[in-house]
């Protein structure tokens, strides 16, 4: 308001002018989204800094611009620290291609594949003009983190072991089963427990305290938070799941700058969030067809040389029995729309194609990948002759360790009754440690080193199912893969290994132990009800004692149905019936193309379809049929040069910068640096 001592006429004139100005400013276009995400844009606060990059790491700038009614955005330009960016700005109107709530006349301005080499906090700005020359500008910030001077040689190989859903309770429970306790002391520690450095990791994603597996993985290999269900991208306002603003992955950065190769090994389908969250850029983690195509099409960007897991259904031409390739989840970039054309031009990404009939298995093989459909073939592949490897051991997720081991033992004993792996059609699947060993044997030949991600996927999937013994054995299988990686790092001193999780799953709690023998437990389950299955069984504190599992020569419990077994509860559970005994069959595998046919059709569909005879209903706080992820921190343990960087309570995005530091500059000097030296160094 004008000052009250001014003459009335002048005050009125000034008021009118102010009103005119404010109506003019209302008539300006607005910026409703600015990427990379920042608090400076969202709340006006310069901290915390949300987006952080390595010097030279590539990323996209983007803004959603909304013109006034009847207007169009005619131009937009970005600047960083006041200097116009030296790259073309693509401007495209939404039309019908944007999400609900974003008007058709909104325009999206995008600059692809920028990078900033100067460390420090940077401000960036978008300025846009609509047809009547009204303008708008908005600012955000991001940080480029400097490297510390390297105090040792550069680390050549990075191995990331990702136990999906592997929280502290899962890790402890696996130790109880595998290691055993004597008067409170562990008899044989897990391999991951022998790593010298351990940190707590904060796991929140860009849009939630509870992450799913996509941003849970990508934070480690992007240095940035993604939204749930999104991988390798920042969120945007378009419907296209493959056109989002990209961030360069660790593997892409190290392949581009150092020529390193990438290996991805999982027990899930290979298109699943964790493996894809190392190499594929999409806002839809479920886009199976496009994701597997992009693995192959963009291998020149990622250095992808080893890909192993399940998910063969996406690689088979549509119409082949078992194929689930679908048009709606494929990808194809318009080369006439500048913002997608720039993905091809500036990132060097493949344009993609909607190609249901594509024989992706043949494409991989023609590109020099040795292909293994089962363990026997995998074993027969000579790593001295193969420098690229594709293994697809199931149509959907691989069967879990418990069922694979059961199948192996049944065959050893000459049993003819079909086991779970037979029912799924894949009796000869490798264990994760066997896949890890072969991956390392192949990748070892890479002259510039490699990034290898090894995922124990069904720790999470079986925790969702609240199938205790299945995630327990899955964790033991994962730890055997940890041992393989650790042994490799001992042999090759230039290898840094981390073992961690993307998030906890199910709120698993080590309640204690059963107070009864397995025979008594079966009798109590017949009698049924909580008065029997809870009150007479669940032993807490001193009644739990030390459950003692016998480990067979194959490394897994001879039986999980032991007397006085360990008991696990769930804090993020859906309703389930519980009788504590090992479920003879897993829940129905939803992704299996033949799940509606026998024998899979008669597998239990939900945790309410198991153990119902015991009538002990454990109600949950989570609706639906699956336990949920939780927001608790997860442990991360590290081994090899640079391991000591992984201590304290750190953000999941911090991990990326420490891995990159080790690979680009060598581990920095620091406490404990000498105590984690490998036994001997490889090479000349
Ligand atoms: Zn999960």
């Amino acid at each position: 308001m004008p000052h009250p001592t001014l003459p009335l006429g002048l005050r009125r004139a000034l008021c009118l002018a102010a009103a005119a100005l404010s109506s003019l400013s209302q008539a300006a276009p607005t910026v409703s989204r600015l990427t990379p995400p920042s608090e400076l844009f969202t709340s006006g606060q310069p901290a915390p800094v949300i987006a952080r990059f390595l010097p030279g790491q590539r990323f996209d700038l983007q803004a959603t611009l909304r013109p006034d009614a009847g207007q169009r955005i005619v131009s937009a330009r970005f600047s960083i620290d006041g200097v116009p960016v030296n790259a073309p700005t693509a401007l495209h109107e939404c039309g019908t291609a944007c999400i609900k709530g974003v008007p058709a006349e909104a325009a999206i301005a995008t600059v692809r594949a920028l990078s900033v080499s100067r460390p420090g906090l940077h401000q960036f700005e978008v300025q846009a003009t609509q047809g009547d020359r009204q303008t708008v500008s908005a600012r955000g910030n991001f940080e480029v983190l400097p490297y510390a001077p390297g105090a040792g040689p550069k680390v050549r190989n990075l191995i990331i072991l990702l136990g999906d859903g592997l929280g502290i309770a899962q890790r402890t429970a696996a130790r109880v089963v595998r290691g055993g306790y004597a008067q409170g002391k562990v008899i044989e520690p897990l391999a991951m427990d022998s790593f010298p450095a351990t940190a707590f990791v904060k796991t929140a994603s860009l849009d939630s305290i509870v992450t799913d597996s996509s941003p849970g993985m990508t934070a480690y290999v992007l240095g940035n938070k993604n939204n749930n269900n999104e991988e390798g991208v920042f969120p945007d306002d378009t419907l296209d799941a493959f056109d989002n603003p990209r961030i360069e992955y660790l593997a892409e950065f190290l392949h581009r700058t150092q020529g390193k190769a990438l290996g991805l090994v999982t027990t899930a389908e290979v298109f699943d969030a964790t493996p894809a969250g190392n190499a594929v850029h999409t806002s839809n983690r479920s886009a199976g067809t496009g994701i597997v195509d992009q693995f192959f099409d963009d291998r020149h960007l990622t250095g992808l040389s080893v890909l192993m897991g399940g998910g063969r259904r996406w690689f088979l031409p549509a119409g082949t029995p078992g194929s689930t390739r679908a048009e709606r989840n494929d990808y194809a970039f318009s080369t006439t729309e500048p913002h997608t054309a720039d993905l091809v031009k500036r990132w060097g990404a493949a344009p993609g194609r909607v190609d249901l009939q594509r024989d992706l298995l043949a494409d991989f093989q023609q590109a020099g990948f040795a292909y293994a459909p089962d363990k026997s073939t995998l074993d027969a592949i000579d790593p001295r002759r193969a420098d690229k490897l594709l293994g697809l051991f199931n149509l959907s997720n691989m069967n879990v360790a418990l069922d694979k081991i059961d199948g192996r033992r049944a065959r050893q004993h000459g049993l003819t009754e079909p086991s779970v792996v037979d029912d799924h059609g894949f009796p000869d699947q490798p264990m994760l440690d066997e896949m890890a060993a072969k991956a390392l044997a192949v990748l070892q030949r890479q002259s510039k080193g490699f990034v290898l991600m090894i995922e124990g996927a069904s720790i999470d999937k079986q925790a969702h199912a609240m199938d205790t013994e299945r995630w327990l054995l899955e964790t033991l299988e994962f730890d055997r893969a940890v041992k393989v990686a650790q042994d490799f790092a001992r042999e090759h001193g230039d290898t840094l290994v981390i073992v961690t999780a993307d998030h906890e799953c199910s709120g698993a709690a080590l309640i204690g132990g059963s107070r009864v023998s397995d025979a008594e437990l079966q009798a109590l389950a017949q009698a049924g009800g909580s008065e029997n299955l809870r009150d007479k069984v669940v032993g807490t504190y001193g009644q739990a004692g030390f459950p003692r599992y016998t480990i067979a020569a194959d490394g897994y419990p001879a039986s999980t149905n032991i007397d006085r077994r360990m008991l696990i509860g769930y804090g993020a559970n859906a309703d389930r019936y519980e009788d504590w005994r090992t479920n003879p069959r897993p829940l129905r595998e939803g992704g299996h193309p033949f799940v509606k046919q026998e024998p899979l059709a008669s597998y239990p569909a939900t945790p309410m379809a198991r153990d119902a005879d015991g009538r002990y209903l454990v109600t949950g706080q989570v609706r639906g049929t699956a336990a949920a992820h939780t927001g608790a921190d997860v442990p991360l343990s590290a081994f090899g040069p640079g391991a000591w960087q992984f201590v304290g309570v750190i953000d999941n995005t911090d991990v990326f910068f420490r891995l990159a530091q080790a690979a680009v500059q060598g581990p920095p000097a620091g406490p404990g640096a000498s105590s984690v030296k490998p036994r001997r160094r490889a090479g000349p």
Side-chain angles (χ1 to χ4, degrees):
M1 285 295 288
H3 198 277
T5 57
L6 290 176
L8 185 65
L10 184 54
R11 275 158 63 189
R12 192 168 290 151
L14 284 171
C15 278
L16 282 172
L21 271 174
S22 88
S23 80
L24 271 181
S25 70
Q26 274 163 12
T30 57
V31 180
S32 60
R33 185 192 291 277
L34 184 63
T35 303
S38 67
E39 276 301 303
L40 187 59
F41 173 71
T42 303
S43 67
Q45 300 302 313
V49 175
I50 306 302
R52 300 184 301 171
F53 304 99
L54 290 170
Q57 183 188 2
R58 303 201 291 179
F59 61 95
D60 293 342
L61 297 177
Q62 192 172 77
T64 302
L65 310 160
R66 302 185 187 211
D68 289 313
Q71 295 293 322
R72 297 181 66 184
I73 301 294
V74 293
S75 74
R77 57 198 168 90
F78 288 91
S79 58
I80 297 176
D81 301 328
V83 180
V85 298
N86 181 25
T89 304
L91 192 63
H92 77 287
E93 279 183 17
C94 275
T96 57
C98 284
I99 60 175
K100 224 173 117 198
V102 179
E105 61 273 20
I108 295 182
T110 310
V111 177
R112 299 285 187 190
L114 278 180
S115 67
V116 174
S117 51
R118 191 167 53 81
L121 190 61
H122 299 278
Q123 272 201 14
F124 68 106
E125 185 177 51
V126 63
Q127 287 185 307
T129 308
Q130 65 184 24
D132 64 2
R133 311 198 65 83
Q134 294 295 327
T135 64
V136 65
S137 70
R139 286 180 310 160
N141 63 10
F142 61 83
E143 191 173 6
V144 173
L145 292 192
Y147 295 110
K154 292 180 191 180
V155 166
R156 195 174 126 98
N157 309 315
L158 299 170
I159 305 179
I160 302 167
L161 289 133
L162 200 295
D164 207 298
L166 181 64
I168 289 185
Q170 285 88 349
R171 188 161 156 171
T172 308
R175 184 193 305 141
V176 169
V177 172
R178 178 69 181 83
Y181 277 73
Q183 300 187 60
K185 291 280 180 86
V186 176
I187 299 166
E188 193 185 330
L190 297 174
M192 63 182 100
D193 288 349
S194 72
F195 283 27
T198 292
F200 272 12
V201 179
K202 295 174 267 187
T203 63
S205 68
L206 186 61
D207 62 344
S208 176
I209 53 170
V210 182
T211 188
D212 79 279
S213 291
S214 308
M217 176 73 235
T218 61
Y220 294 140
V221 290
L222 291 175
N224 282 277
K225 304 273 186 184
N226 288 170
N227 267 5
N228 282 0
N229 301 310
E230 306 195 352
E231 47 209 28
V233 296
F234 288 124
D236 73 358
D237 287 319
T238 73
L239 293 167
D240 184 341
F242 284 90
D243 74 344
N244 287 53
R246 288 187 175 195
I247 311 133
E248 192 169 34
Y249 280 117
L250 181 68
E252 291 175 315
F253 180 77
L254 292 177
H255 182 70
R256 179 168 64 84
T257 59
Q258 296 189 357
K260 287 198 197 308
L262 172 64
L264 298 173
V265 176
T266 179
T267 51
E269 305 198 46
V270 293
F271 91 98
D272 208 12
T274 304
N278 284 274
V280 173
H281 300 272
T282 179
S283 60
N284 178 10
R285 58 173 279 179
S286 305
T289 310
I291 288 169
V292 294
D293 282 3
Q294 201 170 84
F295 270 137
F296 181 80
D297 297 343
D298 281 354
R299 68 193 187 284
H300 61 288
L301 295 180
T302 60
L304 183 72
S305 303
V306 171
L307 181 63
M308 274 194 272
R312 197 189 303 164
R313 62 189 173 121
W314 303 103
F315 290 69
L316 306 172
T320 310
S323 171
T324 54
R325 284 183 70 86
E327 211 165 278
R328 69 187 149 71
N329 58 30
D330 204 347
Y331 85 102
F333 296 137
S334 161
T335 45
T336 53
E337 282 283 1
H339 78 293
T340 47
D342 281 353
L343 281 171
V344 179
K345 251 187 272 173
R346 294 192 48 85
W347 277 98
R353 208 150 64 90
V354 174
D355 42 11
L356 294 189
Q357 299 307 319
R358 183 176 194 175
D359 185 347
L360 196 55
L361 272 180
D363 286 352
F364 267 94
Q365 290 174 90
Q366 274 155 25
F369 280 74
Y371 171 57
D374 52 35
K375 176 185 184 290
S376 306
T377 315
L378 183 69
D379 288 347
I381 288 172
D382 182 350
R384 287 166 305 182
R385 285 161 204 267
D387 61 354
K388 296 195 212 65
L389 174 58
L390 175 71
L392 296 171
F393 306 111
N394 201 312
L395 284 167
S396 55
N397 292 314
M398 290 178 69
N399 284 106
V400 298
L402 187 146
D403 297 316
K404 287 185 292 189
I405 285 295
D406 268 2
R408 288 186 182 192
R409 289 177 181 172
R411 244 175 307 152
Q412 275 163 14
H413 294 111
L415 303 183
T416 51
E417 199 173 314
S419 60
V420 168
V421 289
D422 298 313
D423 287 350
H424 286 76
F426 297 93
D428 187 26
Q429 299 169 65
M431 306 300 291
L432 185 62
D433 48 316
E434 296 161 351
M435 295 156 71
K438 186 64 81 166
L440 286 166
V442 169
L443 287 169
Q444 195 177 342
R445 298 182 48 206
Q446 293 288 338
S447 60
K448 304 289 170 54
F450 58 82
V451 177
L452 172 60
M453 193 290 299
I454 302 168
E455 182 196 22
S458 288
I459 302 168
D460 171 78
K461 294 180 195 302
Q462 295 301 322
H464 279 297
M466 298 169 283
D467 192 325
T468 301
E469 285 72 24
R470 280 190 171 74
W471 64 250
L472 271 171
L473 264 69
E474 206 68 6
T475 310
L476 299 186
E477 181 191 38
F478 178 68
D479 193 58
R480 290 171 67 87
V482 172
K483 176 79 163 52
V484 168
Q486 185 181 24
D487 288 347
F488 181 90
R490 283 200 175 106
E491 290 291 312
H492 305 82
D494 44 11
T495 302
L496 172 60
V497 186
I498 64 168
V499 49
T500 187
D502 42 4
H503 52 75
E504 198 276 343
C505 181
S506 78
L510 213 171
I511 301 173
S514 158
R515 293 153 55 196
V516 300
S517 71
D518 189 55
E520 288 167 319
L521 182 57
Q522 289 183 64
L524 289 166
Q526 294 237 311
S530 61
E531 65 278 20
N532 286 304
L533 276 171
R534 184 186 60 200
D535 301 352
K536 293 179 184 161
V537 174
V538 177
T540 57
Y541 304 101
Q543 292 173 329
F546 296 105
R548 186 149 298 182
Y549 293 79
T550 306
I551 303 300
D554 55 24
Y556 297 87
S559 168
T560 48
N561 282 323
I562 62 163
D563 298 341
R564 300 179 64 87
R565 62 197 297 142
M566 180 177 66
L567 297 183
I568 300 288
Y570 297 95
N573 57 311
D575 292 352
R576 78 183 194 280
Y577 284 112
E578 184 60 87
D579 72 0
W580 307 116
R581 298 196 76 245
T582 304
N583 301 305
R585 297 189 297 184
L587 292 187
R588 207 181 283 180
E589 168 58 45
H592 199 292
F594 303 124
V595 70
K596 294 204 171 115
Q597 301 169 21
E598 291 300 345
L600 298 183
S602 58
Y603 273 54
T606 77
M608 292 295 285
R610 296 181 312 221
D611 304 351
D613 293 348
R615 293 179 286 108
Y616 173 33
L617 177 66
V618 185
T619 55
Q621 307 92 312
V622 175
R623 69 173 182 171
T625 59
H629 297 177
T630 68
D633 293 354
V634 295
L636 180 153
S637 298
F639 180 90
W644 71 267
Q645 296 177 97
F646 299 93
V647 293
V649 181
I650 62 177
D651 192 59
N652 51 7
T653 59
D654 293 337
V655 172
F656 167 82
F657 295 96
R658 291 167 200 201
L659 292 172
Q661 165 78 37
V664 176
Q665 286 289 323
S674 59
S675 70
V676 293
K677 278 214 178 103
R679 276 185 198 156
R680 69 184 171 87
R681 307 198 64 81

